[in-house]
């Protein structure tokens, strides 16, 4: 089993830049294990739903503490398939946070339903339960849409406030679908992402904490009926190996080779999570007096898909870090209601989401980041901030 090397043992990039993500270091570290697993797939030739997919699903479910894990073709497909399995349709309202990636609302619109944008909490960046309650009441009173589901997003790897969100859902007869695309490995109240809502969807995009070498995702649930519907939908709506389509479905399966890659990475996933949290703690301690660092509530653990700070002069800081050879990212430049694609679903009164788009900046954080590189990032932020 490959191990995460000591943090000072890995070389810097050839051009001495520090990358926001560095998948080549991870590939080099796990190269032998990944090649062995891929060679096994090439030898048996079961490229669609081969044995590695079933093994991955078993291990994902066990890791998350969920009864069922169904591997699918991408994080967005995971959301769409979950919504389809829930019976979400045209005329239904699905409540989503306004500050997140476009795939969240896009999945809702793609099944014919209407995303309703909800403002987020200024501290956690996740869906604000109070704003959610107001949005559900407003939509129900308007009578144009049927409130049907709530889709919180675990932004940057931190699980949303599921107890409060579930309470809203129960008051209004709604179902919660967790968009856990960034949070696999995160925890809330001793439970892991994937088991925090009746049904959850995650992503294995390459830069995620657990990522494959292409697109991939999974749906996790305790519900037998939902799990069976998901399995049918991901394979053209068929049951088993027959050719009769019972329901409308998709080509939504995870490739066996991608499952092989994920199995190799899952072997060292806990070590990677520990390293992410170690780096985050160092950033917290060094930067807390000059920028707003992430707040992790008591009882929560972030998967740290991204380490995202808030700073008033964000663009100036980004320019300074770029000049210093420090990779950084703007996630996200626009709130969802500001995207042209969602102009038919525009909402007013989303001030926190709009403010965050002007202030957030993500710093390098991945398991193969060295201690000297962490120090360089810290020094560059301090220098740019005049500290």
């Amino acid at each position: 089993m490959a191990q995460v090397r000591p943090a000072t043992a890995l070389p810097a990039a050839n051009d001495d830049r520090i990358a926001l993500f560095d998948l080549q270091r991870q590939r080099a570290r796990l190269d032998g294990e990944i090649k062995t697993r891929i060679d096994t797939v090439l030898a048996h030739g079961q490229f669609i739903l081969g044995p590695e997919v079933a093994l991955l699903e078993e291990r994902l479910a066990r890791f998350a503490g969920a009864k069922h894990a169904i591997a699918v073709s991408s994080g967005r497909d995971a959301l769409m398939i979950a919504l389809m399995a829930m019976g979400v349709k045209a005329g239904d309202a699905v409540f989503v946070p306004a500050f997140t990636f476009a795939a969240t609302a896009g999945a809702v619109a793609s099944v014919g339903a209407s995303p309703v944008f909800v403002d987020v909490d200024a501290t956690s960046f996740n869906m604000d339960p109070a704003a959610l309650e107001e949005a559900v009441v407003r939509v129900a009173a308007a009578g144009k849409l049927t409130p049907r589901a709530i889709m919180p997003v675990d932004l940057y790897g931190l699980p949303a406030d599921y107890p409060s969100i579930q309470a809203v859902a129960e008051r209004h007869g709604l179902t919660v679908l967790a968009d856990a695309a960034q949070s696999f490995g995160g925890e809330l109240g001793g439970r892991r992402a994937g088991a925090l809502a009746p049904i959850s969807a995650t992503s294995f995009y390459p830069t995620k904490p657990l990522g494959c070498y292409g697109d991939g995702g999974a749906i996790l649930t305790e519900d037998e009926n939902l799990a069976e519907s998901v399995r049918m939908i991901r394979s053209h709506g068929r049951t088993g190996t027959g050719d009769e389509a019972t329901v409308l479905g998709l080509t939504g399966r995870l490739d066996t080779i991608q499952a092989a890659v994920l199995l190799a990475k899952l072997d060292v996933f806990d070590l990677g999570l520990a390293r992410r949290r170690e780096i985050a703690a160092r950033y917290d301690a060094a930067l807390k007096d000059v920028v707003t660092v992430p707040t992790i509530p008591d009882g929560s653990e972030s998967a740290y898909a991204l380490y995202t700070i808030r700073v008033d002069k964000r663009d100036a800081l980004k320019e300074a870090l770029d000049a210093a050879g420090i990779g950084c990212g703007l996630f996200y430049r626009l709130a969802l209601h500001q995207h042209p694609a969602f102009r038919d679903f525009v909402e007013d009164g989303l001030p926190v989401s709009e403010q965050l788009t002007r202030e957030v900046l993500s710093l390098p954080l991945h398991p193969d980041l060295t201690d000297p590189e962490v120090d360089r990032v810290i020094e560059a932020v301090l220098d740019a901030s005049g500290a």
Side-chain angles (χ1 to χ4, degrees):
M1 179 184 298
Q3 301 293 317
V4 174
R5 297 176 188 173
T8 55
L10 294 168
N14 290 336
D15 64 357
D16 203 34
R17 287 186 61 83
I18 298 175
L20 179 62
F21 305 107
D22 197 330
L23 298 178
Q24 288 305 315
R25 291 185 185 183
Q26 184 192 56
R27 182 201 58 75
R29 172 164 51 89
L30 301 176
D31 192 52
E33 291 81 359
I34 290 173
K35 284 182 176 177
T36 297
R37 287 189 179 274
I38 290 176
D39 285 346
T40 299
V41 176
L42 296 176
H44 67 55
Q46 298 178 56
F47 301 118
I48 302 296
L49 296 182
E52 285 79 5
V53 176
L55 178 57
L56 176 67
E57 290 175 337
E58 176 187 328
R59 290 188 59 186
L60 292 172
R62 185 166 66 247
F63 181 90
K67 188 171 184 179
H68 300 279
I70 303 99
V72 297
S73 47
S74 72
R76 173 159 175 160
D77 285 351
L79 292 171
M80 285 183 59
I81 292 170
L83 289 165
M84 293 167 70
M86 294 161 60
V88 174
K89 60 188 184 304
D92 289 341
V94 178
F95 299 87
V96 303
F99 186 64
T100 186
F101 185 54
T104 302
V108 175
S110 293
V111 301
S114 296
V116 176
F117 301 123
V118 177
D119 212 356
V120 297
D121 178 78
T123 301
S124 70
F125 307 159
N126 285 329
M127 180 181 280
D128 181 346
L132 170 65
E133 178 82 41
E134 293 173 2
V136 174
V137 171
R138 182 180 71 252
V139 170
K144 296 179 180 179
L145 297 170
T146 302
R148 183 63 185 274
I150 303 168
M151 190 192 295
V153 175
D154 302 338
L155 203 68
Y156 304 139
L158 177 67
D161 184 356
Y162 286 99
S164 297
I165 290 168
Q166 186 62 43
V168 175
E170 291 174 359
R171 281 195 294 273
H172 298 279
L174 308 180
T175 301
V176 178
L177 162 59
D179 182 342
Q182 300 180 18
S183 65
F184 195 76
E187 299 181 18
L188 173 63
R191 300 173 66 196
R192 282 176 165 162
L196 297 174
I199 185 167
S200 301
T202 194
S203 170
F204 301 131
Y205 187 78
T207 56
K208 294 294 191 283
L210 180 63
C212 54
Y213 285 171
D215 279 312
I219 298 164
L220 299 100
T221 184
E222 297 292 303
D223 190 300
E224 296 281 354
N225 292 329
L226 280 176
E228 181 59 27
S229 293
V230 166
R231 292 188 180 97
M232 286 192 293
I233 292 167
R234 77 169 175 179
S235 293
H236 306 284
R238 301 175 302 158
T239 302
T241 58
D243 60 5
E244 180 183 9
T246 305
V247 297
L248 291 176
L250 306 172
T251 306
R253 302 166 298 227
L254 180 72
D255 293 338
T256 307
I257 286 177
Q258 299 297 351
V261 172
L262 288 165
L263 284 168
K265 293 190 177 187
L266 199 51
D267 285 340
V268 294
F269 187 51
D270 276 325
L271 292 171
L273 287 172
R275 177 61 178 156
R276 287 174 181 272
R277 289 165 183 158
E278 176 186 341
I279 294 169
R282 293 187 62 191
Y283 281 155
D284 288 347
L287 301 177
K288 64 183 179 181
D289 293 331
V290 296
V291 300
T292 302
V293 300
T295 298
I296 309 302
D298 291 342
S300 294
E301 289 279 5
S302 178
Y304 284 110
L306 292 162
Y307 183 90
T308 303
I309 61 174
R310 289 182 66 181
V311 57
D312 290 339
K313 298 181 179 178
R314 188 270 313 278
D315 293 342
L317 176 58
K318 184 180 186 305
E319 183 177 340
L321 293 180
D322 286 339
I326 308 296
C328 48
L330 302 182
F331 305 100
Y332 299 93
R333 295 177 176 86
L334 295 174
L336 291 185
H337 65 289
Q338 297 172 321
H339 287 244
F342 305 122
R343 59 183 176 271
D344 292 337
F345 309 105
V346 171
E347 298 281 337
D348 294 323
L350 302 168
V352 177
S353 296
E354 293 178 8
Q355 182 177 3
L356 290 176
T357 66
R358 300 186 293 269
E359 296 181 357
V360 294
L361 186 68
S362 296
L363 303 180
L365 192 156
H366 55 81
D368 294 302
L369 198 65
T370 69
D371 284 345
E373 287 173 330
V374 174
D375 291 340
R376 264 189 63 194
V377 175
I378 291 170
E379 290 168 7
V381 174
L382 294 176
D383 288 346
S385 303

